[in-house]
Amino acid sequence: MYPVYEPVSSAKRPDTSYQPVNNNDRSPSLGEKVPSYPANPRQHRRSRIVLHWLWHFLSLLWVGPIIVLLYLNFSKHVIGASAWCPRGNCDAEGTTDNAVQRAYQLDRQDHDINGALQFVAKALEVWFVFIATSLVYDIGILFAKKGRGLPVGYILSHLEFADIRYIFSPLLWTSPVPHQNSVPEKRARIIKLYLFAIFTALLTILANLMGPATAVLVLPTLQWVQTPHIMDQTFNDTAVMYQPSGDHLFSSCSNAQLLARNYSCTQKTYGPSLDDWAAQSVSTSRQAATPNGSLIEASSQEAALTFLLNGTAQDLIWIPNRQVLRSMSHEYSKTAGLLTDADVPEYPDKIYNNSLQTSLERQGPSLGVQFGCYAGNVTDITLDDDRWVRCYTGWSSPSDYTTNYTKCLRLGIGSDDTKYSTQFYLENEAKNAPDKQTGVGVYYADKAMYFNKTTDFGSGIRNCLNNETSAKCDWDRVFRTELPEELRNTSVNVGVVSYQIPGEKNPDARVYCDHVTYQSFPTYSVDTSRRSNPQALVLLDDLPQINNDTVPLVVNPDWFLAAWSVDAYAALDGNRQIVKELIRVVPLFYDALTRNDLSDLYDDYEFEFLHLYALGQSLSMVNYYATDPPKNPTPEQVKDNAHPIFHTYATIHVWAYGLSGRTSKLGVTVVILGIACVLARLLLGVSTGVQERSTVEVLASAFEHRHQGEFEGLEEEGHLAKVRYRIVEDGDGRQKFLPEKKTARWSHIMSS
């Protein structure tokens, strides 16, 4: 029989190492059984097997709710206006008078359900820690049953690993190396023990991340979610370069009236609209002059919606298209509850009512302008019956207001009867007015040229403007001359609106504004809530940046006549608001610029606003042509920027699941690793049949073990943790601890 060791007192030795003692002095006797085991070992083993597989089954069940959470988040499942929406029914009543009270009720529901879901996340975390504990135990037992066994420092690692401090324990990283009195161990075995330590440390991190990970996935968030995109139209062309036409373009105009250029027919619908813009522009300039005042953009209405002119950092003004707004108005009226059930029984749509907020989205065309206003003199050079050159002094580049140029336009197109110019008049109703009519000319030129006292950029246009030499000049070469980049975009397809100066003695004096026009295909959006958006204001999103090589559009000047509701070469009623305001501010603007006195900036604002809104009115009216979209568009059709496919959809504010943030993606990674751990533990259980022992059983086996010198000469905790033990079972299924020096004799002990 092997000698038994016990620690001696400090009176015998100065250290605390373990020494052999006389077997006759110990109690109880060697043959006495310390722990008590069941009388029927087979029944106990059978119960242990049942519990073993039951626990595997419960571990596998953890995967179920995790897969559900992954499905909800990957599918971006929408719950609704509340985090608690049984059967998808939690109407927010956003378009009713009960909206505020209903919002309060939903908020209380959200608070309660989110609190409950945090308990669910905690339960999933605790559940996983149980599983991970078993996995660490199973792997540790596999190491303990082979070779020289498992270091003492790892025997209880399944109980310690859940504490994040465990990965900083020195024993975790030093136990694989044998102590100095031990028999040397193979390097491969040491490496395997280090891999076990690394795996345990990673599982410690995983277990501590599982709580936040499941919380991220189990808790829904308030999100803006897009409904499925529906293909609505395929864009073909814009009518901006053509004369307005069509029986359905304006509700108050027939096609015959439009073809005859009798655009006064638009007065009924759009005359008040332009006058309202004029009144708003004057009102905001006056308010801006008051303390704490500010300029506010004016809006206009089309059907059930209103819109603004949208500015960008490029000094481009993007103008919503009224044809698109008319299409949006019907859907807006249905969604916002403006139509009765009799009008449209299928609305309000359930998906919109089941959201806290809804924004209708529709893609469509928009025209953008870059404009500037100046004062100077005008000169006309007649080339032949159908062509002439018109030049304006006092022009300056938007990028350099200090350098003045003369801007010349090439007008007329030879034998073609269509003229890219038109004119109308503003009647002056004021008493003793020096001019009863003020002329307004609208011109569009395919090319413009610039010159000043120092340069004409090699075009020779200064000499050609001499009446005696103009007929001999090669005007085509003049207007083909390459211009600097800062002037290039304002020299192709240029529009100019020229105003005579009421009461000005110089007949050539003009206030004029030039512009270039571009096209884009933004997304129109409108918030359907009458509380947050009482004016049903439409905004433009996804506005583009215009490149220097983008060619501006050709614009037919008759759209300007339609905007003003005036026939070609006719006079506008002087009682209209827009007429009165222009006759008042044009002379003020001319005087300010010619005297270079901008002290009264509000006069400048008023004129430029009035002109901009008239320009915006004209370009907002331009219709476009579209066809039905293809059922199965090809990749080429999808990428066709010239003929895009327009989609309609809605963006709803709802409680939903999703993987929009980095934290949710981290959460997915953590729970997938958790699933891998569950499956690994199941695989180990099936392949090895390792049965987990309770802490009481482990301690009982440890207490039953009588040390046999394995701790001799070891004092420090780090050295004690390096001692190896094999864990085996005797014939009754009881665990036994075998020290590394005696494992080879286990068969002898069991047989004796």
Side-chain angles (χ1 to χ4, degrees):
M1 184 168 293
Y2 300 103
V4 179
Y5 293 80
E6 67 179 17
V8 299
S9 66
S10 58
K12 297 179 180 179
R13 311 184 42 166
D15 55 51
T16 59
S17 61
Y18 289 81
Q19 299 295 325
V21 297
N22 189 334
N23 287 338
N24 296 325
D25 296 336
R26 61 185 182 84
S27 177
S29 64
L30 181 63
E32 183 180 351
K33 293 183 179 180
V34 178
S36 176
Y37 291 98
N40 190 344
R42 292 183 180 181
Q43 182 179 359
H44 180 68
R45 187 177 302 172
R46 192 180 305 116
S47 300
R48 190 188 303 280
I49 293 174
V50 172
L51 291 174
H52 169 74
W53 289 110
L54 178 61
W55 177 237
H56 274 297
F57 176 72
L58 293 176
S59 299
L60 191 60
L61 284 182
W62 181 86
V63 177
I66 296 301
I67 290 178
V68 171
L69 291 178
L70 290 175
Y71 171 78
L72 292 175
N73 283 274
F74 275 106
S75 64
K76 300 180 180 180
H77 175 70
V78 174
I79 303 173
S82 172
W84 174 249
C85 261
R87 297 182 298 277
N89 183 20
C90 49
D91 191 347
E93 303 179 10
T95 61
T96 68
D97 295 335
N98 194 41
V100 175
Q101 183 178 358
R102 180 59 175 162
Y104 176 70
Q105 294 173 347
L106 293 177
D107 183 67
R108 284 194 303 173
Q109 284 184 195
D110 297 338
H111 181 78
D112 292 340
I113 190 63
N114 282 327
L117 289 176
Q118 290 187 47
F119 284 103
V120 172
K122 186 62 180 178
L124 290 172
E125 177 195 6
V126 173
W127 194 350
F128 176 77
V129 170
F130 287 157
I131 299 170
T133 299
S134 298
L135 179 60
V136 174
Y137 177 86
D138 290 350
I139 297 176
I141 289 297
L142 289 179
F143 274 95
K145 286 186 174 183
K146 295 181 180 180
R148 295 172 58 189
L150 190 69
V152 170
Y154 289 167
I155 290 178
L156 297 180
S157 57
H158 64 292
L159 301 179
E160 298 178 281
F161 88 99
D163 187 346
I164 191 65
R165 295 174 297 177
Y166 183 61
I167 63 176
F168 303 106
S169 171
L171 300 184
L172 178 64
W173 307 108
T174 60
S175 295
V177 179
H179 60 84
Q180 56 189 1
N181 298 332
S182 177
V183 178
E185 192 163 14
K186 294 181 180 180
R187 180 177 298 178
R189 177 70 177 179
I190 296 175
I191 292 175
K192 289 180 180 179
L193 288 173
Y194 268 117
L195 291 177
F196 173 74
I198 293 172
F199 174 78
T200 305
L202 293 176
L203 201 56
T204 298
I205 297 173
L206 185 65
N208 282 273
L209 288 177
M210 190 58 67
T214 53
V216 167
L217 297 181
V218 80
L219 292 172
T221 57
L222 270 175
Q223 303 177 27
W224 285 101
V225 177
Q226 291 185 356
T227 61
H229 290 213
I230 300 173
M231 292 188 296
D232 183 56
Q233 295 175 325
T234 298
F235 177 81
N236 284 345
D237 195 11
T238 176
V240 68
M241 67 179 297
Y242 309 117
Q243 179 183 347
S245 61
D247 286 324
H248 304 291
L249 180 58
F250 304 115
S251 60
S252 56
C253 297
S254 66
N255 189 45
Q257 289 174 302
L258 297 178
L259 293 178
R261 305 181 77 189
N262 295 328
Y263 299 113
S264 57
C265 63
T266 66
Q267 167 64 29
K268 180 178 179 180
T269 304
Y270 293 110
S273 173
L274 185 58
D275 288 337
D276 182 50
W277 249 336
Q280 290 183 68
S281 65
V282 174
S283 173
T284 191
S285 66
R286 303 293 172 82
Q287 288 293 328
T290 63
N292 303 317
S294 177
L295 292 171
I296 297 178
E297 257 189 277
S299 61
S300 185
Q301 182 175 350
E302 181 63 39
L305 303 172
T306 63
F307 65 93
L308 302 172
L309 307 186
N310 297 255
T312 67
Q314 287 184 308
D315 293 329
L316 275 167
I317 308 297
W318 291 100
I319 301 158
N321 184 280
R322 291 182 182 270
Q323 183 178 342
V324 177
L325 297 177
R326 287 192 290 271
S327 298
M328 290 189 73
S329 290
H330 184 64
E331 187 172 2
Y332 169 80
S333 298
K334 294 184 292 185
T335 307
L338 301 181
L339 298 181
T340 64
D341 290 342
D343 295 328
V344 54
E346 73 274 18
Y347 275 80
D349 195 296
K350 182 178 179 180
I351 193 172
Y352 297 152
N353 283 340
N354 197 20
S355 65
L356 294 172
Q357 199 168 356
T358 298
S359 176
L360 299 179
E361 319 279 347
R362 176 182 289 267
Q363 296 169 330
S366 172
L367 297 177
V369 293
Q370 189 176 40
F371 82 105
C373 294
Y374 315 92
N377 293 326
V378 64
T379 302
D380 286 329
I381 305 296
T382 302
L383 305 183
D384 53 43
D385 291 341
D386 251 343
R387 297 190 305 154
W388 74 99
V389 175
R390 165 164 280 214
C391 296
Y392 292 92
T393 63
W395 186 89
S396 59
S397 168
S399 60
D400 181 12
Y401 289 104
T402 61
T403 304
N404 283 342
Y405 295 93
T406 295
K407 180 169 189 167
C408 297
L409 309 175
R410 180 171 65 179
L411 299 173
I413 52 175
S415 59
D416 196 325
D417 291 334
T418 301
K419 299 292 192 300
Y420 283 87
S421 63
T422 191
Q423 193 168 355
F424 62 96
Y425 300 92
L426 308 177
E427 289 187 348
N428 192 345
E429 296 294 330
K431 294 181 179 180
N432 303 321
D435 298 310
K436 289 301 181 182
Q437 288 187 338
T438 297
V440 180
V442 186
Y443 309 93
Y444 275 89
D446 64 333
K447 290 290 290 183
M449 183 52 61
Y450 302 92
F451 70 91
N452 57 21
K453 294 180 180 179
T454 60
T455 182
D456 62 4
F457 305 104
S459 65
I461 191 171
R462 284 183 296 186
N463 295 330
C464 289
L465 290 177
N466 188 321
N467 287 328
E468 297 179 359
T469 61
S470 60
K472 302 176 183 179
C473 283
D474 184 355
W475 287 99
D476 289 336
R477 186 194 69 81
V478 168
F479 282 94
R480 282 198 304 267
T481 303
E482 190 74 15
L483 290 170
E485 184 175 345
E486 64 270 15
L487 301 177
R488 203 170 298 153
N489 275 14
T490 59
S491 65
V492 179
N493 297 335
V494 184
V496 173
V497 181
S498 177
Y499 300 89
Q500 290 180 336
I501 315 301
E504 175 60 40
K505 295 180 180 179
N506 177 9
D508 296 329
R510 295 289 188 275
V511 165
Y512 64 96
C513 301
D514 68 346
H515 61 269
V516 288
T517 306
Y518 301 96
Q519 181 172 254
S520 69
F521 303 101
T523 300
Y524 292 67
S525 63
V526 57
D527 179 2
T528 61
S529 171
R530 283 180 286 173
R531 289 185 174 273
S532 58
N533 187 21
Q535 291 186 313
L537 183 65
V538 174
L539 301 177
L540 298 185
D541 301 321
D542 306 323
L543 293 171
Q545 295 289 314
I546 299 299
N547 300 322
N548 290 333
D549 57 353
T550 303
V551 179
L553 299 177
V554 176
V555 181
N556 192 303
D558 278 18
W559 289 105
F560 211 81
L561 299 178
W564 283 77
S565 304
V566 61
D567 301 337
Y569 302 101
L572 267 175
D573 185 356
N575 289 315
R576 286 189 56 181
Q577 185 74 24
I578 185 70
V579 175
K580 290 190 291 186
E581 298 300 342
L582 276 175
I583 288 177
R584 178 180 63 84
V585 299
V586 165
L588 299 176
F589 186 77
Y590 178 79
D591 290 343
L593 264 63
T594 53
R595 290 186 286 104
N596 198 26
D597 180 12
L598 301 179
S599 57
D600 191 357
L601 293 177
Y602 301 106
D603 292 336
D604 301 341
Y605 291 147
E606 288 182 11
F607 171 73
E608 291 183 337
F609 275 145
L610 290 169
H611 172 76
L612 173 60
Y613 291 137
L615 182 60
Q617 176 89 320
S618 64
L619 295 180
S620 71
M621 291 178 165
V622 175
N623 62 307
Y624 64 95
Y625 307 106
T627 57
D628 292 334
K631 291 184 178 180
N632 298 300
T634 64
E636 291 75 17
Q637 289 174 317
V638 173
K639 297 177 182 178
D640 188 353
N641 294 327
H643 304 91
I645 298 174
F646 296 149
H647 295 80
T648 63
Y649 56 96
T651 302
I652 54 177
H653 201 206
V654 290
W655 287 92
Y657 291 96
L659 302 175
S660 57
R662 294 179 179 177
T663 54
S664 57
K665 294 174 182 176
L666 176 61
V668 168
T669 303
V670 170
V671 298
I672 289 177
L673 291 175
I675 292 175
C677 291
V678 172
L679 298 179
R681 202 238 164 182
L682 180 63
L683 182 62
L684 282 176
V686 172
S687 60
T688 64
V690 173
Q691 299 178 15
E692 186 174 348
R693 302 304 180 103
S694 68
T695 305
V696 172
E697 290 179 289
V698 174
L699 290 176
S701 298
F703 290 147
E704 184 183 28
H705 170 70
R706 289 180 279 279
H707 66 84
Q708 301 171 18
E710 58 267 26
F711 295 109
E712 183 178 358
L714 303 180
E715 302 177 11
E716 297 181 4
E717 180 186 33
H719 293 159
L720 297 174
K722 296 174 183 286
V723 176
R724 269 70 165 160
Y725 277 96
R726 283 188 65 184
I727 300 178
V728 295
E729 293 183 1
D730 62 14
D732 294 332
R734 295 178 298 181
Q735 281 189 338
K736 294 291 184 180
F737 284 84
L738 296 182
E740 54 184 322
K741 294 180 180 179
K742 306 302 179 183
T743 53
R745 304 179 183 178
W746 170 245
S747 58
H748 170 71
I749 295 175
M750 293 296 296
S751 62
S752 61

